[in-house]
Amino acid sequence: MINKIVDNIEQALEGVESNMTFMFGGFGLSGIPENAITSLSQKEIFGLTCISNNAGVDNFGLGLLLQRKQIKKMISSYVGENAEFERQMLSGELEVDLIPQGSLAERCRAAGAGIPAFFTPAGYGTEVAQGKEVREYNGKPHILETALTADFAFVKAWKGDTAGNLIFKGTARNFNPLMAMAGKITVAEVEELVPAGELDPNQIHTPGIFVQRIFQGVNYEKRIEQRTVRTKK
Amino acid sequence: MALDKNQIAQRIAQELEHNTYVNLGIGIPTLVANYIPKGIDIEFQSENGVLGMGPFPFEGEEDPDMINAGKQTITTMPGAALFDSATSFAMIRGQHVQLTVLGAMEVSENGDIANWKIPGKMVKGMGGAMDLVASADNIIVAMMHTNRQGESKILKQCTLPITGVNCVKKVVTNLAVLEVTKDGFKLLERAPGVSVEEIKNATEANLIIEGEVPEMNI
């Protein structure tokens, strides 16, 4: 067993610097690495390029890094829920690269799988295709998209073991397994950390080979963005 | 009478085919799930990573780890499956999801759709819309026939930045059901009590009208 455990969040974040590229798992606020984001928002690092499907809300998630103007560039598919984000984008302080969600997921997966680029039909004929090579396969035009890598990938899982194996819960899985594959250093925070051997190998979603550092997170808030319910009849 | 949003959803639900996988977009499309005809089995896919999406949870049973692509709390149905975003878009891009229903700002007569960006306004992003429209076999658009200024959203050519080309198969609006054919929009049905003339007046694109146009069955 190769031990991936670190003692604390400081060890987990060792080596993060200004101007690096970071990936953050999560969809909306579901499955985001809350502990890593909070700690990064307290560090004197700036000029970051952040790859994340969304950009958090004003006072939670990546909104915390935006508030301190630590982010130079955001690479996302949908960024609609954040007023400070909007302000920085419209004033030109923040560079924003919007890419189709499926292409974002596949570009992370591809990086982790050693595939430097791939053709996809998504975005053909739109402004997303500008400057990209077009090829026809099976009578249909496709555009060339390149893999995305990061200096650090921060992911969040439900359970993990000391070997770095991860199990996700519900729809909190989303981009986490793909970004875990794509990070040069992948830092996984989990709600429950167990000794190697306690998780059933049949149930592992992300094998530990994709994870360099793992720790048990604390104080998960798990905020709900849109609380929708029905009433019992 | 022009249809309301629920009636548009109700009309689209009549298009659902038995034993198919369907992705519903945000807004009117979400309402389609409320009107599945009897005897039709559907599994709803949400692109954030769930197949077999169920209704909203009962109060007090919300789970932050169980949401749909609109970030709303949901439940799952028996037989549901959960997966990562790359697998989710493999289902979409690989055409395993048979039908996509989504909203639009504009649709053109060659089936182009614009629904993600208004120049000069805050751009929120395309989310999964570009992947969905680039690949789905069948795409139905649910929208109002005209915008808030009363201008037609059914156009010869889209004026807004497009989301996808030659992809929309059918449009259901508050006034009409339109099919995108190789020759342009064909008027299939009218909303109850709405005349062909009223639909023509609200439509910038040319309409192909063959014989008597029936009223929708709502």
Side-chain angles (χ1 to χ4, degrees), chain A residues 79 127 140 222 227-228 230, chain B residues 56 65 73 117 124 134:
Chain A
V79 292
E127 59 188 61
K140 196 171 162 174
K222 290 200 182 184
R227 189 178 300 273
T228 44
R230 66 195 148 125
Chain B
F56 295 147
D65 293 331
T73 44
K117 182 175 183 177
K124 295 188 170 185

Side-chain angles (χ1 to χ4, degrees), chain B residues 87-140:
Chain B
T87 306
S88 181
F89 282 94
M91 294 173 189
I92 290 164
R93 229 185 281 105
Q95 299 190 330
H96 308 282
V97 175
Q98 283 106 344
L99 169 67
T100 287
V101 183
L102 75 176
M105 301 172 191
E106 295 177 348
V107 179
S108 75
E109 58 192 24
N110 65 337
D112 292 358
I113 176 171
N115 72 350
W116 78 282
K117 182 175 183 177
I118 301 173
K121 292 219 173 136
M122 167 66 188
V123 180
K124 295 188 170 185
M126 66 291 281
M130 284 193 184
D131 310 270
L132 282 158
V133 300
S135 299
D137 248 350
N138 190 9
I139 298 173
I140 300 177

Side-chain angles (χ1 to χ4, degrees), chain A residues 30 54 77-79 81 86 100-103 125-127 140 169-171 173-174 222 226-230, chain B residues 56-57 59 62 64-65 67 71-73 82 84-86 89 93 117 122 124-127 131 134 162-163:
Chain A
S30 189
N54 312 95
S77 86
Y78 192 84
V79 292
E81 357 273 356
E86 183 169 350
Q101 196 174 116
S103 298
T126 75
E127 59 188 61
K140 196 171 162 174
K169 181 167 158 276
T171 53
R173 193 179 326 180
N174 54 61
K222 290 200 182 184
Q226 306 282 343
R227 189 178 300 273
T228 44
V229 295
R230 66 195 148 125
Chain B
F56 295 147
E59 216 166 336
E62 313 92 286
D65 293 331
I67 62 169
K71 288 125 187 164
Q72 297 171 312
T73 44
L82 297 154
D84 66 58
S85 300
F89 282 94
R93 229 185 281 105
K117 182 175 183 177
M122 167 66 188
K124 295 188 170 185
M126 66 291 281
D131 310 270
I162 59 172
T163 311

